[in-house]
Each structure stands twice: as C-alpha cells, then as structure tokens.
Amino acid sequence: MQADTVVCGILVDHRGVLGEGCVAARGGLVTGIHRKPVSAERVLDYRGMGVYVSPGFIDMHVHLRGLRLDYKEDERSGTAAAASAGITLVADMPNTVPRLSTPEALEEKLRALRKRSLVDYAVYAGVPDSPGLVEELASLPVAGFKIYPGDLEERMEAVKRILELPGALVVVHPELPEAEKPVAESNSLRAVHRGCHWEAAAVQLLRSLEPRARLHITHASCPSTIEHARNSGFTVDVAPHHLLLQGWGEDCLYRVNPPLRSSIEEWRLLQTLLEAGVNAVASDHAPHAAWEKTEPLTCSPGIAWLEAWPSLLYCLVEAGALRLEEFLRLAGKGPADILGLRGYGVLEPGARADLAAWRPASTRIGAPRWSKARLVPYFMERGCMEVLATLVGGVPVYVEGELTGEAEAVNPFERSRPG
C-alpha cells in the first residue's frame, strides 16, 4: 500500500539512534520503518545531510490564550509557533477568559482548537467553583485538571474531589496561596518572597490529602521541590527559564511565576535534570502583548517560549552535558507518558505520525516570528538546532521556514482516555 508521506534521515527516538532510514506514514499513523524511500505521494529525503528524523516534541504546559485574550495569542498563532520548532502536540492551560472551569467554556475552547490548531492538542480543565461540576468536566475530552495556588484557598472542596478521581491527571502549580500575596516590584525581591519553601509546602499539602489521582508538579523551580515530588510519588517537569536564564534580571521580560532563582539554585536544578531527575521539560509558554511587558505598572508575568526552547535545550546535547536520547525523552516520550498517551514520542509502526526533521546548527534566536508575543528575554541567544520539517499525522505543516497551510490536527483525548 502506498504511503501518504515518507520522510528520511537519521532515525532516532528516546531509545537511541536507529540508523539512516525512512519513516512511512498513512492515515495519520506510522506504517513502517524502511532503509530506503518507498512509494509515497510526498517524500522528504534528508539522507546524507546530517538531519535527524525524530518523534515530534511535546509541550505539556502552554498558554495559547485565545477566547477573550486573543490579543495576546490565539490557537492559530501559538500552534504555528509550535510547528516551527518541531513541536507536534501542545497541552493548553485553563486560566483563560473565561476560565475553563465550566462545560460551556471548555466546549468553546475545544471548538477553537479544532478549527485553528496546526498541531495535535490537548486542554486541561480548571478547578470549578462548584464541586458538583468535577465529574462532568472529567467526562469531557480533556487531558486532566490544573490546580493553581488560589484554588487551594478558594475552591478547596472541588480540589479534594478532583484528587479523589482514580487515575486522573492533575497538574499542580506548586506554591501555596500565601506566596502570591506579598507585592514586590523587583524580580529579586519576588524570588525572596516566593521562596522555595512555598513550593515544598504545596507538595507536602497535596501528599497529605492522599490523592487517588495522578499528580504532576509543573515548572518546579527549586531542586528541593523535585525531591519532595519524587518522594511523594509524583511526576515533575521543569521550565526552560528556570534552567537557562542567568540571574534574576530586573526587567519585566524576566518576570515569571514561580520567579527565577539565584544562579546557585539554577545550577542545582540543571544538575538535577542532567542526572535524569525530572520526567519532562515543559515551556510554560505565556505570551503577552508588548505593552504588557513594557509597562512597569502591569508587568504581566510570563515568557513566550514555543519557537525557541527545543533549540536552546538541545545546546546541552551539543555541549556534551545531555545525551541525545535523554533530550528526546525530556522533550517527547516523558511528556507523552505523563499525559497517558500511547503511540506518541516513539518511532515505531502504529505510532502517531507526528515527526520532526531537524539538524544540529549554530543559530541565533531572533524575535518570535509566528507568536504574537514579540518581546522575549532570550533575543539573540545562541541556539543549536534548525528544524527543517514538522509533520502532524504524517502531513507536513511546516517545511523549511514556511507553514504549508495543511493540518490534520487531533485531540487524542477525543479518541481514547489514558488508562
């Protein structure tokens, strides 16, 4: 049977380099791994060019905004940014306007993603004001729930009900609500007021509730948070800004929650990652309009990462600090496992044909091209990767610097629930 698409290069996933060959895809799935190109409607042949063909990267923590906040970002611009970086699945957070904590808001968001997304997508439900809505939200095609610090104060009964859902994925921003209350103008003072102890305390609180759900601690900014999470049996991810941005930086571009830590904490966090101490890297892509990142009185916290983080993270491989297989675990198989998605993050027949073709290359990261968020703190930083093509369900959506206009994106939770 003729394939829809064949892409060739150096085949690699989290298990290691498979050698030079070709991946054939049809009907959204990988149909075979071959030594040479086979008959197909489309052939992308990068053999002999030092190009890796890997599973597409997965970002399990993004804020695509949209709905009433589409001036910051929308489902199209955010997923275009993702596609340009080889990211083939994003999981969207619920702190939108309106919050994704009612069936109506979630359905509106899912309709927007079905219509506009260029890559595969998932969405988390927010904690509802009424505990009685928890089961109804859980029955929708969502990846799980997201708990924010304010939920632990304002919606604790609903939080407890969510934690009682057997096997449900619950993603947690690990700070107690008290951490958000002190107001400090400088980023360095924010790091003191929102210290590592608040993260550890949040993890311990959730552990004391004896959850039946699967808890995942996101954007852990302190090594102690990771230790507490792992001792509690929770999975954990780290964000690129807590790993790669040096010092605090008093400019609004560096403001993020949880805040950037000292260079010592950053070094220890990076060491933990290099020692395979975390389950995934997730960007916490948080775009804002230019005026929101330049007006001192607003200084909205968040960094737009989707176009840059895989290239910057890959620099750890180029430096010899991180193995290629470990990079692909952190950027693909690890997030897929946390989300409970089989057939993602691997190169094998029957897997979802979400693929990235890329090669090591010394580059400079410019201003975002596809995202609406133009102001970023890593402008002109050195990147280490060039993405040549991104395929979603075997369909090229980004090829050599341009979007193709084609997309067959899916929400994997529409088809099956993680087991």
Side-chain angles (χ1 to χ4, degrees), residues 67-89:
L67 302 182
R68 315 299 181 265
L69 298 176
D70 60 2
Y71 71 93
K72 297 174 184 273
E73 189 84 282
D74 60 46
E75 295 81 7
R76 173 94 181 172
S77 63
T79 57
S84 73
I87 298 166
T88 53
L89 187 147

Side-chain angles (χ1 to χ4, degrees), residues 379-409:
F379 178 70
M380 296 308 290
E381 287 288 331
R382 176 177 174 264
C384 297
M385 173 194 295
E386 178 187 13
V387 176
L388 299 179
T390 303
L391 294 85
V392 175
V395 177
V397 297
Y398 175 87
V399 179
E400 298 184 13
E402 297 297 332
L403 300 172
T404 66
E406 299 181 71
E408 294 187 5

Side-chain angles (χ1 to χ4, degrees), residues 349-370:
R352 174 74 172 160
D354 284 1
L355 306 168
W358 51 277
R359 62 186 167 197
S362 181
T363 61
R364 288 291 172 185
I365 306 295
R369 177 183 176 190
W370 306 103

Side-chain angles (χ1 to χ4, degrees), residues 175-379:
E175 289 181 295
L176 291 185
E178 290 82 356
E180 296 184 322
K181 292 175 182 177
V183 177
E185 292 185 0
S186 75
N187 292 339
S188 53
L189 282 177
R190 291 178 80 249
V192 174
H193 289 306
R194 302 182 72 148
C196 293
H197 58 286
W198 290 122
E199 291 193 7
V203 174
Q204 291 301 320
L205 171 62
L206 292 164
R207 180 180 182 176
S208 72
L209 296 174
E210 299 182 348
R212 300 176 67 194
R214 295 185 295 123
L215 262 67
H216 175 76
I217 305 303
T218 192
H219 54 48
S221 66
C222 307
S224 57
T225 308
I226 296 173
E227 182 179 0
H228 283 289
R230 295 183 66 183
N231 289 341
S232 302
F234 305 157
T235 52
V236 61
D237 73 60
V238 293
H241 40 272
H242 293 126
L243 292 170
L244 304 175
L245 294 185
Q246 297 294 321
W248 287 302
E250 296 302 340
D251 191 284
C252 182
L253 296 182
Y254 291 85
R255 180 161 294 191
V256 67
N257 294 330
L260 300 184
R261 303 299 178 187
S262 70
S263 57
I264 294 175
E265 290 291 339
E266 178 188 304
W267 180 84
R268 292 181 59 221
L269 194 72
L270 181 59
Q271 183 180 32
T272 302
L273 176 132
L274 296 178
E275 293 173 350
V278 301
N279 300 91
V281 170
S283 74
D284 192 12
H285 172 75
H288 294 288
W291 63 267
E292 293 173 312
K293 296 301 286 183
T294 54
E295 171 54 55
L297 294 180
T298 55
C299 191
S300 299
I303 298 171
W305 273 112
L306 277 174
E307 294 182 36
W309 73 261
S311 182
L312 291 172
L313 185 66
Y314 185 72
C315 289
L316 296 176
V317 180
E318 287 290 279
L322 188 68
R323 293 184 299 112
L324 173 60
E325 298 91 327
E326 183 69 358
F327 166 76
L328 292 171
R329 182 187 71 84
L330 291 167
K333 187 61 165 60
D337 287 346
I338 295 165
L339 290 166
L341 295 176
R342 295 182 179 179
Y344 280 80
V346 293
L347 284 187
E348 58 188 34
R352 174 74 172 160
D354 284 1
L355 306 168
W358 51 277
R359 62 186 167 197
S362 181
T363 61
R364 288 291 172 185
I365 306 295
R369 177 183 176 190
W370 306 103
S371 173
K372 293 182 181 181
R374 298 288 191 252
L375 299 181
V376 293
Y378 49 80
F379 178 70

Side-chain angles (χ1 to χ4, degrees), residues 14-29:
H14 71 287
R15 296 166 294 192
V17 176
L18 307 178
E20 198 163 69
C22 303
V23 181
R26 184 175 179 83
L29 302 178

